[in-house]
Amino acid sequence: MSFENLLFEKRDGIAYITFNRPKVLNALNRKTIEELHQVLVDARDDSTVRVLILTGAGEKAFVAGADINELAQQTPAGGKEFSVYGQNTARLLETMGKPSICAINGFALGDGCEMALCCSIRIASKTAKLGQPEVKLGIIPGYGGSQRLARLCGKGVAHELCLTGEMISAEEAQRVGLVNHVYEPAELLPAAETMAKKIIEKAPLAVKYCMEAIERGVEMPLEEGLFLEATLFGLCCATADMREGTKAFLEKRAAHFKGN
C-alpha cells in the first residue's frame, strides 16, 4: 500500500505507521487522517499484525498539530464533521484489539498529542515536547484531547495543559503519567521494537482481552468492571493458548501460542 502522507510497513508481526510530512512537522490534514483510517483497518484485519508502532518522519516532530491552512477555512458545520471524523479514526486506533506503541520523536502537539493519547503505550525521546495548544488559536482540542488527557492524567493536568496551551518536556510528561518511558533519540525506535516483541511473545487472545478489560472497564463502575474482567478471564480459560501456556509453565519450557 502506497500513501501520500504516511509510510506503512508490516514486518515481523509489527505494523509501522510513520506520519510523513516532515516539511510541515508532520501536521495532520484531512488526507492524512483518511490514509491513517485505511492503514488502521488494514492492520486490524491482518492476522499477522500483532502490534502497531506509530512515529513521525524526520527528527523534529511526531505530529506538531493540525494543518493550520486547512483549519483556518473551517465552518461550524465543517469543523464539527472534521472533529468527528478524526475522533472516529482515533477511536479505531484505541479499540481495534491490537496494542499500539507511540514513539514520540519530537513535537506532539494538538492533534499529535491526541493521537498519542489513543495509543496503548507512549514512549518519548528526550527531545520531545507535548501539549494541547489549541486555545492559542481560539479553539479547543477536537480529537479527544480534553477527554483522554483528563482520564489518563487527571483533571488538574488536563486543565493546565488545555487552558494554558503550554508545552511540557518529555520528562515532565513522564512525571504526570502522559508517557511511560523517556529515551535518548537514537534509542527510541529500538525501545519501541523491544517492547513490541515482548507483547508478540504473549498469547494473542489474552492480549486482546486484557486491552478490552482496561479500555472498557476504566469507564465502568468498579463492580461492572470486575464483572467484565471475570467474564473475559472465563473466555481465556476456554482457549487452546491457555492450555498451552499453563502446560508450558509446568513443563518449564517456552510457550508456543497460536491465537486460539
Side-chain angles (χ1 to χ4, degrees):
M1 300 174 74
S2 179
F3 297 96
E4 181 180 336
N5 297 329
L6 293 178
L7 299 176
F8 183 47
E9 179 185 5
K10 293 181 282 189
R11 185 174 71 250
D12 300 328
I14 303 173
Y16 295 83
I17 301 172
T18 304
F19 295 97
N20 188 35
R21 302 182 74 211
K23 290 183 179 180
V24 291
L25 299 180
N26 303 322
L28 293 185
N29 59 7
R30 178 61 180 249
K31 178 67 173 177
T32 307
I33 296 298
E34 290 173 352
E35 292 180 355
L36 178 61
H37 193 95
Q38 284 183 260
V39 302
L40 291 178
V41 170
D42 180 273
R44 180 196 64 190
D45 296 341
D46 187 340
S47 61
T48 68
V49 172
R50 297 284 309 282
V51 181
L52 290 75
I53 294 178
L54 284 74
T55 194
E59 299 178 354
K60 295 182 179 180
F62 167 59
V63 171
D67 187 311
I68 304 302
N69 289 321
E70 189 175 270
L71 181 62
Q73 306 303 315
Q74 290 292 351
T75 63
K80 182 177 180 181
E81 190 277 333
F82 182 79
S83 175
V84 169
Y85 186 81
Q87 287 178 355
N88 289 341
T89 300
R91 188 62 175 156
L92 173 59
L93 172 61
E94 192 172 47
T95 61
M96 63 190 296
K98 297 182 180 182
S100 53
I101 301 169
C102 187
I104 305 169
N105 57 311
F107 292 113
L109 305 175
D111 294 350
C113 188
E114 290 171 302
M115 282 299 160
L117 284 166
C118 296
C119 292
S120 312
I121 300 167
R122 288 155 296 283
I123 63 176
S125 161
K126 287 185 176 180
T127 61
K129 301 287 186 182
L130 297 90
Q132 298 288 165
E134 287 88 349
V135 290
K136 295 182 178 182
L137 301 174
I139 56 175
I140 69 170
Y143 285 180
S146 64
Q147 304 306 301
R148 291 186 179 89
L149 191 56
R151 285 165 168 77
L152 181 66
C153 302
K155 288 170 61 178
V157 171
H159 276 127
E160 181 175 351
L161 291 182
C162 292
L163 299 183
T164 68
E166 296 300 313
M167 296 184 294
I168 59 174
S169 67
E171 288 81 3
E172 178 66 6
Q174 183 182 27
R175 188 188 71 80
V176 300
L178 181 49
V179 303
N180 296 68
H181 304 284
V182 176
Y183 297 95
E184 294 291 343
E187 298 172 357
L188 182 65
L189 194 56
E193 291 173 333
T194 296
M195 187 178 294
K197 290 173 184 176
K198 289 181 179 179
I199 295 171
I200 289 170
E201 291 173 355
K202 309 306 185 293
L205 287 176
V207 169
K208 179 181 179 179
Y209 292 153
C210 194
M211 290 182 63
E212 185 172 345
I214 294 169
E215 293 293 342
R216 305 291 183 183
V218 74
E219 304 300 331
M220 297 177 175
L222 179 59
E223 289 301 319
E224 293 180 19
L226 291 173
F227 182 83
L228 172 63
E229 181 183 80
T231 301
L232 294 172
F233 181 88
L235 289 177
C236 287
C237 291
T239 65
D241 277 352
M242 180 269 195
R243 292 189 291 276
E244 165 63 12
T246 53
K247 183 179 180 182
F249 179 85
L250 294 172
E251 294 176 355
K252 296 181 172 57
R253 60 173 175 83
H256 301 287
F257 297 117
K258 297 181 179 179
N260 55 27

